[in-house]
Amino acid sequence: MENISIAIDGGHSMFKIRAASLASPDARHSFQIPTVVIPAITLTNEQTRQKAELETVEVDGRRYFFGDTALRQGRSEVYTGQNADWIESPQHDALVLGAWRKAMQAFGNPSARVHLVMGLPAKFVGSQRDTLRDRIVALLTPRLLPGQTLRVMVQSQADAPLQWLSIQNNGCLHPQRDLDSEAWGVIEIGHYTTDFALCDRGSMMEYAAISCAGMHLVYDGMSSALAQAKLPTSLDVVDAAVRNGSIKHFGQRVDVSPLLNQAKAGFEAVVMDEANRVFGQKAAVLDGIIIGGGGAEMLLDGLKQRYPNAVTSDEPRMMVAEGFCRLGLLSLLQS
């Protein structure tokens, strides 16, 4: 029987999935699914319909498009689930089912012992951990194949960078890292929230487990700025503007970096102010501050200027998913 770790970073702009097997623990299956869900519609083009079937799931008798199919067919202007309790929605269920299906297909739908790790913003962990775990168990258990077993773990998203730091690719604890004798801060920059954490000699500091606004501030600012400039504001256009600083308009590439810089400045100020409140003068004596999340690259230069001990990974956008994947492998080894 296979032993599989599946990590789902259920972001409000992108679901990031990373999975590994104890049989080849250094190998990874990775997927990213845009956080967009719409009710499925009838598609008349046969080729389009076949492609859409790969991103169609059924929840409580209703069919939904998710990911790229939903983004294209729905002409969305905002990501799905921009509210605190969206983990209890059928849209969230649809994305979890889509992530599960993609991961199982990558492994060939084996008989397996599966440890699934998901995260919540730091400010919601206490109130939503049990709700999310119970909902995921209820959602996936009826869909397990013969021989499959499932364990679901729910963590704070801000814990994942610490797991990325202290656990090796193969799920074994890092021999050169001892969090019981070190102190590390975390800034995890997501779409809906930016989450903070502080681990001081093995103890998580409760006062530091907080969240402030995430990258949606930049998206909101860009959408307003594009509208004022008489430019398109559909979600794919705004996302391109935020990621690339330019958009395509009537066949021409338009530089919108000045608008992006304005939108970024307000968000950067929010994160910097919150980081100062969380870490204060203690930042200077930490072993480091780990920067992760989908917005990490946008703010990394500014954060490194303020915190010279800041570190990140080669894939900061996938750091939460990777940290959770390593935790799942460790859990499989220990059980």
Side-chain angles (χ1 to χ4, degrees):
M1 178 181 290
E2 287 235 45
N3 295 287
I4 294 174
S5 169
I6 299 176
I8 301 177
D9 175 11
H12 289 251
S13 66
M14 194 76 71
F15 262 49
K16 280 84 70 179
I17 303 97
R18 186 152 280 184
S21 167
L22 279 184
S24 51
D26 290 324
R28 295 289 187 269
H29 294 291
S30 295
F31 314 95
Q32 296 189 51
I33 303 172
T35 306
V36 184
V37 178
I38 64 169
I41 60 174
T42 301
L43 301 174
T44 56
N45 181 273
E46 178 65 24
Q47 185 177 9
T48 301
R49 185 166 61 250
Q50 289 178 0
K51 288 181 179 179
E53 280 298 318
L54 300 174
E55 294 187 321
T56 305
V57 294
E58 184 173 310
V59 179
D60 294 332
R62 294 193 64 185
R63 284 165 57 84
Y64 293 92
F65 292 154
F66 67 89
D68 288 319
T69 297
L71 184 61
R72 292 172 185 146
Q73 297 294 340
R75 297 182 293 180
S76 302
E77 294 198 359
V78 294
Y79 288 107
T80 300
Q82 300 299 300
N83 54 287
D85 59 355
W86 87 296
I87 63 164
E88 300 182 66
S89 70
Q91 289 79 16
H92 188 271
D93 291 345
L95 286 160
V96 171
L97 284 177
W100 172 265
R101 189 168 72 184
K102 285 179 179 289
M104 284 295 101
Q105 289 173 346
F107 287 108
N109 293 309
S111 296
R113 188 165 60 117
V114 182
H115 284 196
L116 172 66
V117 187
M118 293 190 65
L120 284 167
K123 66 180 181 180
F124 297 140
V125 171
S127 60
Q128 294 185 351
R129 186 199 303 268
D130 291 343
T131 299
L132 178 57
R133 183 192 297 113
D134 293 346
R135 191 174 183 97
I136 298 306
V137 170
L139 180 69
L140 295 180
T141 298
R143 294 169 169 85
L144 294 177
L145 299 175
Q148 288 182 342
T149 62
L150 174 67
R151 179 188 178 192
V152 176
M153 295 173 280
V154 178
Q155 306 282 311
S156 168
Q157 288 168 187
D159 290 349
L162 292 167
Q163 291 151 0
W164 163 80
L165 181 76
S166 60
I167 305 173
Q168 298 180 99
N169 284 353
N170 59 8
C172 296
L173 291 173
H174 201 298
Q176 297 177 341
R177 281 268 82 85
D178 181 12
L179 294 187
D180 287 339
S181 62
E182 299 174 346
W184 287 87
V186 174
I187 305 175
E188 198 276 317
I189 307 166
H191 187 82
Y192 189 61
T193 61
T194 297
D195 295 320
F196 297 83
L198 179 58
C199 180
D200 190 351
R201 286 160 293 183
S203 297
M204 300 301 295
M205 300 295 98
E206 194 65 29
Y207 69 82
I210 62 175
S211 306
C212 69
M215 282 280 290
H216 70 87
L217 289 184
V218 181
Y219 279 74
D220 293 346
M222 279 302 300
S223 182
S224 296
L226 291 171
Q228 292 176 7
K230 309 298 184 188
L231 293 169
T233 59
S234 62
L235 184 53
D236 55 343
V237 172
V238 175
D239 185 67
V242 172
R243 298 296 171 190
N244 306 318
S246 65
I247 63 172
K248 187 185 292 184
H249 191 234
F250 291 116
Q252 301 295 318
R253 183 60 59 178
V254 178
D255 179 17
V256 294
S257 55
L259 303 180
L260 177 59
N261 290 336
Q262 292 176 16
K264 171 188 168 183
F267 175 52
E268 187 171 34
V270 169
V271 173
M272 291 292 190
D273 287 348
E274 200 65 42
N276 186 57
R277 279 192 286 271
V278 171
F279 302 125
Q281 293 184 349
K282 190 175 180 65
V285 297
L286 295 175
D287 290 276
I289 296 176
I290 311 168
I291 313 298
E297 292 181 0
M298 176 173 284
L299 300 190
L300 188 59
D301 289 344
L303 287 168
K304 280 190 170 182
Q305 286 182 2
R306 178 170 293 190
Y307 304 115
N309 54 350
V311 298
T312 192
S313 69
D314 293 337
E315 296 180 278
R317 188 179 184 87
M318 296 296 291
M319 183 185 284
V320 169
E322 175 60 27
F324 285 163
C325 185
R326 296 182 185 192
L327 177 65
L329 289 172
L330 176 64
S331 175
L332 286 164
L333 286 170
Q334 293 178 338
S335 63

